[in-house]
Protein backbone atom coordinates (compact mmCIF):
# COMPACT_ATOMS: atom_id res chain seq x y z
CA UNK A 1 0.00 0.00 0.00
CA UNK A 2 1.40 3.37 -1.02
CA UNK A 3 2.21 5.61 1.95
CA UNK A 4 1.14 8.91 0.43
CA UNK A 5 -0.27 10.72 3.47
CA UNK A 6 2.17 13.17 5.03
CA UNK A 7 1.91 15.17 8.26
CA UNK A 8 -0.03 18.09 6.78
CA UNK A 9 -2.37 15.72 4.92
CA UNK A 10 -3.22 14.12 8.27
CA UNK A 11 -3.71 17.49 9.96
CA UNK A 12 -6.12 18.65 7.24
CA UNK A 13 -8.07 15.39 7.38
CA UNK A 14 -8.26 15.32 11.18
CA UNK A 15 -9.43 18.93 11.41
CA UNK A 16 -12.02 18.34 8.70
CA UNK A 17 -13.34 15.22 10.44
CA UNK A 18 -13.42 16.85 13.89
CA UNK A 19 -14.88 20.30 13.19
CA UNK A 20 -18.27 19.40 11.85
CA UNK A 21 -21.72 18.79 13.16
CA UNK A 22 -20.55 18.55 16.78
CA UNK A 23 -19.85 22.23 17.34
CA UNK A 24 -23.20 23.31 15.90
CA UNK A 25 -25.15 20.72 17.91
CA UNK A 26 -23.29 20.37 21.19
CA UNK A 27 -22.38 23.97 21.99
CA UNK A 28 -26.03 25.11 22.40
CA UNK A 29 -26.79 21.98 24.47
CA UNK A 30 -23.73 22.51 26.69
CA UNK A 31 -24.70 26.18 27.15
CA UNK A 32 -28.08 25.16 28.55
CA UNK A 33 -26.20 23.27 31.26
CA UNK A 34 -23.12 25.40 31.98
CA UNK A 35 -23.95 28.82 30.52
CA UNK A 36 -20.83 30.87 29.81
CA UNK A 37 -18.92 28.12 31.63
CA UNK A 38 -19.07 26.28 28.32
CA UNK A 39 -15.98 28.28 27.27
CA UNK A 40 -13.61 26.69 29.85
CA UNK A 41 -15.58 23.43 29.47
CA UNK A 42 -14.16 23.17 25.96
CA UNK A 43 -10.65 23.31 27.43
CA UNK A 44 -11.50 20.72 30.09
CA UNK A 45 -12.90 18.47 27.34
CA UNK A 46 -9.83 18.96 25.15
CA UNK A 47 -7.25 17.88 27.74
CA UNK A 48 -8.49 14.30 28.37
CA UNK A 49 -9.47 13.78 24.73
CA UNK A 50 -5.97 14.76 23.58
CA UNK A 51 -4.54 12.02 25.83
CA UNK A 52 -7.18 9.51 24.67
CA UNK A 53 -6.58 10.27 20.99
CA UNK A 54 -2.79 9.96 21.43
CA UNK A 55 -3.38 6.44 22.80
CA UNK A 56 -5.59 5.58 19.85
CA UNK A 57 -3.04 6.94 17.35
CA UNK A 58 -0.24 4.92 18.98
CA UNK A 59 -2.21 1.76 18.28
CA UNK A 60 -3.16 2.95 14.80
CA UNK A 61 0.46 3.56 13.87
CA UNK A 62 1.56 0.19 15.26
CA UNK A 63 -1.22 -1.99 13.83
CA UNK A 64 -3.09 -0.17 11.04
CA UNK A 65 -6.32 -2.01 10.29
CA UNK A 66 -9.99 -1.60 9.37
CA UNK A 67 -12.35 -1.71 12.35
CA UNK A 68 -9.43 -0.99 14.64
CA UNK A 69 -11.44 0.64 17.43
CA UNK A 70 -13.02 -2.75 18.21
CA UNK A 71 -10.10 -4.96 17.18
CA UNK A 72 -7.54 -3.31 19.44
CA UNK A 73 -9.63 -3.88 22.55
CA UNK A 74 -10.77 -7.34 21.48
CA UNK A 75 -7.43 -8.87 20.47
CA UNK A 76 -5.05 -6.95 22.73
CA UNK A 77 -7.17 -6.72 25.89
CA UNK A 78 -10.48 -8.58 26.24
CA UNK A 79 -13.01 -9.58 23.54
CA UNK A 80 -15.86 -9.49 26.06
CA UNK A 81 -15.08 -5.99 27.31
CA UNK A 82 -14.48 -4.78 23.76
CA UNK A 83 -17.85 -6.15 22.70
CA UNK A 84 -19.57 -4.37 25.59
CA UNK A 85 -17.98 -1.14 24.42
CA UNK A 86 -19.10 -1.81 20.86
CA UNK A 87 -22.59 -2.74 22.06
CA UNK A 88 -22.80 0.56 23.98
CA UNK A 89 -21.65 2.40 20.85
CA UNK A 90 -24.48 0.83 18.86
CA UNK A 91 -26.97 1.92 21.51
CA UNK A 92 -25.48 5.41 21.37
CA UNK A 93 -25.89 5.43 17.60
CA UNK A 94 -29.52 4.24 17.56
CA UNK A 95 -30.68 6.18 20.63
CA UNK A 96 -28.35 9.14 20.21
CA UNK A 97 -26.20 9.97 17.22
CA UNK A 98 -28.55 9.44 14.28
CA UNK A 99 -31.73 10.96 15.79
CA UNK A 100 -29.62 13.78 17.28
CA UNK A 101 -28.06 14.77 13.95
CA UNK A 102 -31.36 14.52 12.08
CA UNK A 103 -33.24 16.59 14.66
CA UNK A 104 -30.46 19.18 14.83
CA UNK A 105 -30.38 19.55 11.05
CA UNK A 106 -34.16 20.01 11.02
CA UNK A 107 -33.78 22.71 13.72
CA UNK A 108 -31.25 24.65 11.65
CA UNK A 109 -33.45 24.31 8.57
CA UNK A 110 -36.34 25.70 10.59
CA UNK A 111 -34.22 28.80 11.26
CA UNK A 112 -34.42 29.49 7.52
CA UNK A 113 -37.81 28.00 6.65
CA UNK A 114 -39.88 28.87 9.69
CA UNK A 115 -42.87 26.67 10.39
CA UNK A 116 -41.55 23.31 9.22
CA UNK A 117 -42.40 20.42 11.62
CA UNK A 118 -39.18 19.25 13.29
CA UNK A 119 -39.77 15.52 13.85
CA UNK A 120 -41.32 14.71 10.43
CA UNK A 121 -38.54 16.64 8.66
CA UNK A 122 -35.90 14.87 10.80
CA UNK A 123 -37.43 11.53 9.84
CA UNK A 124 -37.33 12.51 6.16
CA UNK A 125 -33.65 13.46 6.58
CA UNK A 126 -32.80 10.05 8.06
CA UNK A 127 -34.74 8.34 5.28
CA UNK A 128 -33.17 10.43 2.50
CA UNK A 129 -29.60 9.59 3.51
CA UNK A 130 -30.60 5.96 4.07
CA UNK A 131 -31.82 5.76 0.47
CA UNK A 132 -28.74 7.60 -0.84
CA UNK A 133 -26.44 5.10 0.86
CA UNK A 134 -28.65 2.16 -0.10
CA UNK A 135 -28.17 3.10 -3.74
CA UNK A 136 -24.43 3.34 -3.21
CA UNK A 137 -24.27 7.06 -4.02
CA UNK A 138 -21.26 8.10 -1.93
CA UNK A 139 -20.02 11.66 -1.70
CA UNK A 140 -16.78 11.95 -3.66
CA UNK A 141 -13.60 13.01 -1.91
CA UNK A 142 -13.50 16.28 -3.87
CA UNK A 143 -16.94 17.17 -2.59
CA UNK A 144 -15.80 16.43 0.97
CA UNK A 145 -12.79 18.73 0.53
CA UNK A 146 -15.05 21.48 -0.81
CA UNK A 147 -17.37 20.94 2.17
CA UNK A 148 -14.51 21.43 4.63
CA UNK A 149 -13.38 24.57 2.80
CA UNK A 150 -16.94 25.97 2.92
CA UNK A 151 -17.10 25.13 6.62
CA UNK A 152 -14.00 27.21 7.37
CA UNK A 153 -15.38 30.07 5.27
CA UNK A 154 -18.63 29.84 7.26
CA UNK A 155 -16.73 29.91 10.56
CA UNK A 156 -14.78 32.98 9.41
CA UNK A 157 -18.01 34.70 8.31
CA UNK A 158 -19.49 33.94 11.75
CA UNK A 159 -16.53 34.88 13.97
CA UNK A 160 -14.73 37.80 12.29
CA UNK A 161 -17.67 40.27 12.21
CA UNK A 162 -19.02 38.69 15.40
CA UNK A 163 -15.96 39.77 17.39
CA UNK A 164 -16.91 43.41 16.81
CA UNK A 165 -20.39 42.82 18.27
CA UNK A 166 -19.41 41.15 21.55
CA UNK A 167 -20.93 42.56 24.74
CA UNK A 168 -18.32 41.96 27.50
CA UNK A 169 -21.03 41.67 30.14
CA UNK A 170 -22.44 38.59 28.38
CA UNK A 171 -19.31 36.51 29.07
CA UNK A 172 -18.99 37.27 32.77
CA UNK A 173 -19.83 34.78 35.52
CA UNK A 174 -18.05 31.76 34.04
CA UNK A 175 -18.66 29.66 37.17
CA UNK A 176 -22.15 30.98 37.93
CA UNK A 177 -23.92 27.70 37.11
CA UNK A 178 -21.75 25.64 39.46
CA UNK A 179 -18.86 23.24 39.01
CA UNK A 180 -21.17 20.25 38.55
CA UNK A 181 -22.79 21.75 35.46
CA UNK A 182 -19.38 22.58 34.00
CA UNK A 183 -18.11 19.03 34.61
CA UNK A 184 -21.10 17.57 32.78
CA UNK A 185 -20.71 20.07 29.92
CA UNK A 186 -17.03 19.09 29.64
CA UNK A 187 -17.91 15.38 29.49
CA UNK A 188 -20.55 16.09 26.86
CA UNK A 189 -18.19 18.22 24.76
CA UNK A 190 -15.58 15.45 24.56
CA UNK A 191 -17.63 14.18 21.63
CA UNK A 192 -16.72 17.30 19.64
CA UNK A 193 -13.03 16.26 19.71
CA UNK A 194 -13.53 12.60 18.77
CA UNK A 195 -13.74 12.93 14.97
CA UNK A 196 -10.05 12.29 14.33
CA UNK A 197 -10.49 8.79 15.76
CA UNK A 198 -11.49 7.54 12.29
CA UNK A 199 -8.01 8.38 10.93
CA UNK A 200 -6.65 5.17 12.46
CA UNK A 201 -8.38 3.35 9.61
CA UNK A 202 -5.81 4.95 7.28
CA UNK A 203 -2.72 4.04 9.28
CA UNK A 204 -1.33 1.86 6.49
CA UNK A 205 -1.28 4.82 4.09
CA UNK A 206 0.59 7.23 6.36
CA UNK A 207 4.21 8.14 5.79
CA UNK A 208 6.25 7.65 8.98
CA UNK A 209 3.06 6.75 10.87
CA UNK A 210 4.88 6.14 14.16
CA UNK A 211 5.77 9.83 14.35
CA UNK A 212 3.14 11.58 12.26
CA UNK A 213 -0.03 10.04 13.68
CA UNK A 214 0.52 11.04 17.35
CA UNK A 215 1.99 14.46 16.51
CA UNK A 216 -0.70 15.31 13.96
CA UNK A 217 -3.51 14.60 16.38
CA UNK A 218 -2.00 16.93 19.03
CA UNK A 219 -1.57 19.71 16.49
CA UNK A 220 -4.98 19.30 14.83
CA UNK A 221 -6.87 19.11 18.13
CA UNK A 222 -5.13 22.30 19.25
CA UNK A 223 -6.34 24.07 16.09
CA UNK A 224 -9.83 22.67 16.66
CA UNK A 225 -9.82 23.94 20.26
CA UNK A 226 -8.86 27.44 19.08
CA UNK A 227 -11.76 27.44 16.58
CA UNK A 228 -14.20 26.21 19.21
CA UNK A 229 -13.15 28.83 21.76
CA UNK A 230 -13.43 31.59 19.18
CA UNK A 231 -16.92 30.47 18.17
CA UNK A 232 -17.98 30.11 21.81
CA UNK A 233 -16.77 33.60 22.77
CA UNK A 234 -18.62 35.13 19.79
CA UNK A 235 -21.78 33.07 20.40
CA UNK A 236 -22.09 33.92 24.09
CA UNK A 237 -20.68 37.43 23.79
CA UNK A 238 -23.15 38.42 21.08
CA UNK A 239 -26.17 36.27 21.85
CA UNK A 240 -26.24 36.22 25.60
CA UNK A 241 -29.01 33.82 26.59
CA UNK A 242 -30.24 33.27 23.03
CA UNK A 243 -28.78 29.74 22.98
CA UNK A 244 -31.11 28.71 25.81
CA UNK A 245 -33.73 27.95 23.17
CA UNK A 246 -32.07 28.93 19.90
CA UNK A 247 -29.28 27.90 17.53
CA UNK A 248 -26.18 29.57 16.10
CA UNK A 249 -28.38 30.80 13.25
CA UNK A 250 -30.24 32.96 15.76
CA UNK A 251 -26.95 34.43 16.98
CA UNK A 252 -25.71 35.08 13.43
CA UNK A 253 -28.91 36.92 12.51
CA UNK A 254 -27.91 39.68 14.98
CA UNK A 255 -25.05 40.90 12.79
CA UNK A 256 -25.28 38.98 9.49
CA UNK A 257 -27.90 39.52 6.83
CA UNK A 258 -28.59 38.69 3.22
CA UNK A 259 -25.85 36.80 1.38
CA UNK A 260 -23.45 36.49 4.33
CA UNK A 261 -26.13 35.02 6.58
CA UNK A 262 -26.93 32.31 4.03
CA UNK A 263 -23.22 31.61 3.50
CA UNK A 264 -22.99 30.81 7.20
CA UNK A 265 -26.32 28.99 7.50
CA UNK A 266 -25.77 26.70 4.51
CA UNK A 267 -21.98 26.45 4.51
CA UNK A 268 -21.83 25.96 8.27
CA UNK A 269 -24.41 23.98 10.24
CA UNK A 270 -26.60 22.64 7.42
CA UNK A 271 -23.76 21.34 5.26
CA UNK A 272 -21.73 20.10 8.25
CA UNK A 273 -24.59 18.13 9.79
CA UNK A 274 -25.79 16.76 6.44
CA UNK A 275 -22.34 15.45 5.51
CA UNK A 276 -21.93 14.02 9.02
CA UNK A 277 -25.17 12.02 8.72
CA UNK A 278 -24.11 10.70 5.33
CA UNK A 279 -20.58 9.86 6.51
CA UNK A 280 -21.89 8.15 9.66
CA UNK A 281 -24.10 5.88 7.57
CA UNK A 282 -21.10 5.00 5.38
CA UNK A 283 -18.47 4.54 8.12
CA UNK A 284 -20.87 2.88 10.55
CA UNK A 285 -21.85 0.18 8.10
CA UNK A 286 -18.23 -0.35 7.03
CA UNK A 287 -17.10 -0.99 10.60
CA UNK A 288 -20.03 -3.32 11.28
CA UNK A 289 -19.32 -5.17 8.04
CA UNK A 290 -15.77 -5.81 9.27
CA UNK A 291 -17.24 -7.25 12.47
CA UNK A 292 -19.50 -9.57 10.47
CA UNK A 293 -16.40 -10.88 8.73
CA UNK A 294 -14.92 -11.53 12.17
CA UNK A 295 -18.09 -13.54 12.96
CA UNK A 296 -18.92 -11.21 15.84
CA UNK A 297 -22.30 -10.83 14.18
CA UNK A 298 -23.98 -13.42 11.92
CA UNK A 299 -22.69 -13.22 8.35
CA UNK A 300 -26.21 -12.67 6.98
CA UNK A 301 -26.23 -9.22 8.58
CA UNK A 302 -23.30 -8.37 6.32
CA UNK A 303 -25.08 -9.17 3.06
CA UNK A 304 -24.37 -6.60 0.34
CA UNK A 305 -26.42 -5.68 -2.71
CA UNK A 306 -25.07 -5.52 -6.25
CA UNK A 307 -23.80 -2.00 -5.61
CA UNK A 308 -21.66 -3.27 -2.72
CA UNK A 309 -23.84 -1.69 -0.03
CA UNK A 310 -24.40 -3.67 3.22
CA UNK A 311 -28.14 -3.18 2.94
CA UNK A 312 -29.19 -5.28 5.93
CA UNK A 313 -26.98 -3.34 8.37
CA UNK A 314 -27.98 -0.06 6.78
CA UNK A 315 -31.68 -0.90 7.13
CA UNK A 316 -31.29 -1.92 10.77
CA UNK A 317 -29.55 1.38 11.57
CA UNK A 318 -32.21 3.42 9.79
CA UNK A 319 -35.12 1.49 11.32
CA UNK A 320 -33.97 1.61 14.95
CA UNK A 321 -32.88 5.25 14.71
CA UNK A 322 -36.20 6.23 13.15
CA UNK A 323 -38.18 4.42 15.85
CA UNK A 324 -36.24 6.27 18.55
CA UNK A 325 -36.72 9.63 16.83
CA UNK A 326 -40.46 9.18 16.33
CA UNK A 327 -40.98 7.79 19.84
CA UNK A 328 -39.01 10.38 21.84
CA UNK A 329 -39.53 13.40 19.57
CA UNK A 330 -37.93 16.83 19.72
CA UNK A 331 -37.94 16.91 23.53
CA UNK A 332 -35.20 14.27 23.50
CA UNK A 333 -32.43 16.46 22.05
CA UNK A 334 -30.39 16.54 25.30
CA UNK A 335 -30.96 12.81 25.84
CA UNK A 336 -29.81 12.03 22.28
CA UNK A 337 -26.67 14.11 22.80
CA UNK A 338 -25.82 12.34 26.06
CA UNK A 339 -26.18 8.86 24.58
CA UNK A 340 -24.23 9.80 21.46
CA UNK A 341 -21.36 10.86 23.74
CA UNK A 342 -21.75 7.74 25.89
CA UNK A 343 -21.48 5.49 22.86
CA UNK A 344 -18.53 7.43 21.47
CA UNK A 345 -16.50 7.12 24.70
CA UNK A 346 -17.61 3.59 25.69
CA UNK A 347 -16.19 2.03 22.54
CA UNK A 348 -12.81 3.66 23.27
CA UNK A 349 -12.44 2.44 26.88
CA UNK A 350 -11.19 -1.09 25.97
CA UNK A 351 -8.76 0.47 23.48
CA UNK A 352 -7.10 2.39 26.30
CA UNK A 353 -6.28 -0.87 28.10
CA UNK A 354 -4.97 -2.37 24.86
CA UNK A 355 -2.24 0.30 24.73
CA UNK A 356 -0.46 -1.34 27.69
CA UNK A 357 0.40 -4.24 25.37
CA UNK A 358 2.62 -1.98 23.27
CA UNK A 359 5.21 -1.98 26.04
CA UNK A 360 4.70 -5.51 27.33
CA UNK A 361 4.41 -7.53 24.10
CA UNK A 362 7.73 -7.90 22.19
CA UNK A 363 5.86 -8.40 18.88
CA UNK A 364 4.19 -5.01 19.26
CA UNK A 365 7.08 -3.20 20.90
CA UNK A 366 9.28 -3.60 17.83
CA UNK A 367 6.57 -2.09 15.63
CA UNK A 368 5.50 0.67 17.99
CA UNK A 369 6.73 4.29 18.08
CA UNK A 370 9.90 4.91 20.08
CA UNK A 371 7.94 6.63 22.83
CA UNK A 372 6.90 3.21 24.24
CA UNK A 373 10.50 2.70 25.36
CA UNK A 374 10.37 5.71 27.68
CA UNK A 375 10.14 4.91 31.39
CA UNK A 376 7.16 7.21 31.81
CA UNK A 377 5.22 5.76 28.85
CA UNK A 378 2.84 3.77 31.06
CA UNK A 379 1.42 7.07 32.31
CA UNK A 380 -0.15 7.69 28.88
CA UNK A 381 -2.46 4.62 28.82
CA UNK A 382 -3.13 5.01 32.57
CA UNK A 383 -4.40 8.55 32.04
CA UNK A 384 -6.31 7.48 28.91
CA UNK A 385 -8.08 4.68 30.79
CA UNK A 386 -8.89 6.87 33.82
CA UNK A 387 -10.16 9.78 31.72
CA UNK A 388 -12.35 7.61 29.48
CA UNK A 389 -13.93 5.76 32.42
CA UNK A 390 -14.57 8.96 34.40
CA UNK A 391 -16.16 10.66 31.37
CA UNK A 392 -18.37 7.62 30.79
CA UNK A 393 -19.52 7.53 34.43
CA UNK A 394 -20.31 11.27 34.45
CA UNK A 395 -22.45 10.95 31.34
CA UNK A 396 -24.28 7.87 32.63
CA UNK A 397 -24.97 9.55 35.97
CA UNK A 398 -26.36 12.63 34.22
CA UNK A 399 -28.70 10.53 32.08
CA UNK A 400 -30.06 8.66 35.09
CA UNK A 401 -30.29 11.68 37.39
CA UNK A 402 -31.48 14.48 35.12
CA UNK A 403 -32.83 13.13 31.85
CA UNK A 404 -34.48 9.74 31.89
CA UNK A 405 -34.18 6.97 34.47
CA UNK A 406 -36.12 4.69 32.11
CA UNK A 407 -33.58 5.16 29.31
CA UNK A 408 -30.75 4.63 31.80
CA UNK A 409 -32.30 1.30 32.82
CA UNK A 410 -32.92 0.50 29.15
CA UNK A 411 -29.20 1.03 28.52
CA UNK A 412 -28.29 -1.33 31.39
CA UNK A 413 -30.69 -3.98 30.06
CA UNK A 414 -29.20 -3.49 26.57
CA UNK A 415 -25.71 -4.15 27.96
CA UNK A 416 -26.91 -7.28 29.80
CA UNK A 417 -28.43 -8.53 26.55
CA UNK A 418 -25.07 -7.86 24.89
CA UNK A 419 -23.24 -9.91 27.55
CA UNK A 420 -25.61 -12.84 27.05
CA UNK A 421 -25.48 -12.60 23.24
CA UNK A 422 -21.69 -12.52 23.07
CA UNK A 423 -21.34 -15.42 25.52
CA UNK A 424 -23.55 -17.57 23.29
CA UNK A 425 -21.76 -16.28 20.19
CA UNK A 426 -18.35 -17.26 21.57
CA UNK A 427 -19.72 -20.68 22.55
CA UNK A 428 -21.01 -21.16 19.02
CA UNK A 429 -17.69 -20.10 17.46
CA UNK A 430 -15.80 -22.47 19.76
CA UNK A 431 -18.14 -25.33 18.88
CA UNK A 432 -17.59 -24.87 15.15
CA UNK A 433 -13.87 -24.24 15.79
CA UNK A 434 -14.03 -20.84 14.12
CA UNK A 435 -13.30 -18.48 17.01
CA UNK A 436 -10.94 -15.70 15.85
CA UNK A 437 -10.41 -14.59 19.46
CA UNK A 438 -8.88 -17.94 20.42
CA UNK A 439 -5.76 -17.34 18.32
CA UNK A 440 -2.76 -15.77 20.02
CA UNK A 441 -1.39 -13.98 16.97
CA UNK A 442 -1.82 -10.72 15.11
CA UNK A 443 -3.49 -12.14 12.00
CA UNK A 444 -6.76 -10.34 12.81
CA UNK A 445 -5.05 -7.06 11.94
CA UNK A 446 -4.08 -8.25 8.43
CA UNK A 447 -6.77 -6.73 6.18
Amino acid sequence: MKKGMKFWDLVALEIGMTIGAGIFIYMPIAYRSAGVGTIPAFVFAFLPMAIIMINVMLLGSTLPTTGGTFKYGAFLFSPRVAFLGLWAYLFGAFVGLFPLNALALASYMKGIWDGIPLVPVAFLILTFFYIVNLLGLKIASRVEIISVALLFIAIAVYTVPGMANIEPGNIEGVFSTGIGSMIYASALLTFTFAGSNAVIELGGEVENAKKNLPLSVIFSLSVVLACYLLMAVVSFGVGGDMLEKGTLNDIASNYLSGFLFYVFAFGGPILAIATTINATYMWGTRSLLALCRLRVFPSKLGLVNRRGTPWVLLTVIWLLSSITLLTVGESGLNLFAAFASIGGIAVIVPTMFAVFRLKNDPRLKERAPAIVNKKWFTLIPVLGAVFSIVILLILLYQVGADFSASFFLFFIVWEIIGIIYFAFRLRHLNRVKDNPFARDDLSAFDD
Side-chain angles (χ1 to χ4, degrees), residues 92 144 211 234 244 298 311 322 416 423:
E144 291 287 358
K211 176 183 178 182
V234 170
E244 280 286 349
W311 65 273
S322 297
I416 293 173

Side-chain angles (χ1 to χ4, degrees), residues 70 75 79 291-299 421-439:
F70 170 76
F75 292 98
L291 297 178
C292 289
R293 291 168 180 163
L294 276 173
R295 278 86 67 193
V296 173
F297 296 116
S299 57
Y421 164 78
F422 197 60
F424 278 98
R425 189 64 183 168
L426 287 179
R427 185 179 300 178
H428 166 73
L429 294 174
N430 286 327
R431 187 170 60 250
V432 299
K433 298 181 179 180
D434 192 25
N435 186 355
F437 307 105
R439 297 193 296 268

Side-chain angles (χ1 to χ4, degrees), residues 337-360:
F339 273 118
S341 296
I342 287 169
I345 201 70
V347 75
I348 292 177
V349 172
T351 304
M352 297 299 99
F353 289 94
V355 180
F356 289 100
R357 288 283 296 273
L358 295 181
K359 191 175 183 69
N360 301 327

Side-chain angles (χ1 to χ4, degrees), residues 60 63-69 71-72 200-204 444-447:
L63 291 171
T65 186
T66 303
T69 305
K71 286 182 181 178
Y72 297 137
I200 63 172
E201 306 287 354
L202 304 173
F445 299 96
D446 298 331
D447 294 333

Side-chain angles (χ1 to χ4, degrees), residues 30-178:
Y31 179 82
R32 290 159 201 159
S33 174
V36 183
T38 302
I39 297 174
F42 271 116
V43 179
F44 298 147
F46 162 80
L47 295 173
M49 285 306 293
I51 297 294
I52 289 170
M53 286 298 109
I54 289 172
N55 279 283
V56 173
M57 294 304 164
L58 287 171
L59 286 169
S61 61
T62 303
L63 291 171
T65 186
T66 303
T69 305
F70 170 76
K71 286 182 181 178
Y72 297 137
F75 292 98
L76 301 180
F77 176 55
S78 165
R80 289 175 175 82
V81 176
F83 183 80
L84 278 183
L86 170 71
W87 198 243
Y89 172 78
L90 294 178
F91 187 90
F94 302 145
V95 187
L97 188 57
F98 280 98
L100 170 70
N101 284 333
L103 195 58
L105 179 54
S107 298
Y108 275 102
M109 292 171 65
K110 187 175 182 178
I112 298 175
W113 300 290
D114 191 25
I116 64 172
L118 287 181
V119 174
V121 170
F123 172 71
L124 290 176
I125 289 168
L126 279 179
T127 304
F128 171 77
F129 285 108
Y130 161 69
I131 294 172
V132 166
N133 280 270
L134 196 64
L135 296 175
L137 301 176
K138 297 180 180 180
I139 296 178
S141 59
R142 290 183 180 179
V143 175
E144 291 287 358
I145 292 173
I146 293 172
S147 299
V148 172
L150 288 174
L151 176 61
F152 274 98
I153 291 172
I155 291 175
V157 167
Y158 182 78
T159 56
V160 174
M163 294 294 288
N165 290 272
I166 291 176
E167 294 288 342
N170 288 339
I171 50 179
E172 295 177 352
V174 169
F175 298 98
S176 60
T177 59

Side-chain angles (χ1 to χ4, degrees), residues 23 45 63 75 77 100 140 166 184 194 212 221 231 238 247 273 284 303 323 325 387 425 439:
I23 184 64
L63 291 171
F75 292 98
F77 176 55
L100 170 70
I166 291 176
Y184 170 66
N212 286 337
L221 287 183
M231 292 188 69
V238 174
T247 66
I273 300 173
L303 291 176
I323 290 173
L325 173 67
F387 284 146
R425 189 64 183 168
R439 297 193 296 268

Side-chain angles (χ1 to χ4, degrees), residues 176-198:
S176 60
T177 59
I179 192 66
S181 297
M182 188 180 296
I183 290 174
Y184 170 66
S186 301
L188 192 68
L189 291 171
T190 56
F191 189 82
T192 66
F193 292 99
S196 57
N197 182 35

